[in-house]
Amino acid sequence: MTEIPTTLTTDQRRAACQALGLAPSLVHELTLGPDGLRALLNVRDREGRIIKHGPDPLTTTVHIPYEQEVTRAPA
């Protein structure tokens, strides 16, 4: 039986973001679904500051689909 963790450490969060090629400081939320991963990312200005929209950070969503596996016929 697989044990499901009750929490994630900061290091685990950072490692997951880095494994996906995403800067941990930009990642607001990650969602893994049937069609791939959706990352909600904070938007930063040219000086690196998070842009606000009212009291909340401005975000954008990036969709990273799963790679389609190619099945090859036997030679």
Side-chain angles (χ1 to χ4, degrees):
M1 179 173 177
T2 302
E3 188 173 323
I4 298 173
T6 57
T7 61
L8 293 175
T9 66
T10 301
D11 287 341
Q12 288 171 319
R13 177 189 180 280
R14 187 177 301 117
C17 292
Q18 290 173 340
L20 295 165
L22 301 170
S25 63
L26 292 180
V27 176
H28 188 78
E29 181 179 306
L30 294 174
T31 306
L32 190 61
D35 63 342
L37 177 104
R38 293 193 188 281
L40 186 63
L41 305 176
N42 295 317
V43 177
R44 295 184 181 266
D45 65 15
R46 291 175 193 227
E47 286 78 37
R49 297 176 299 230
I50 294 175
I51 299 172
K52 297 279 188 167
H53 184 261
D56 300 317
L58 183 64
T59 59
T60 188
T61 301
V62 175
H63 176 242
I64 304 169
Y66 295 121
E67 181 178 39
Q68 296 295 320
E69 292 186 30
V70 177
T71 56
R72 297 181 184 182

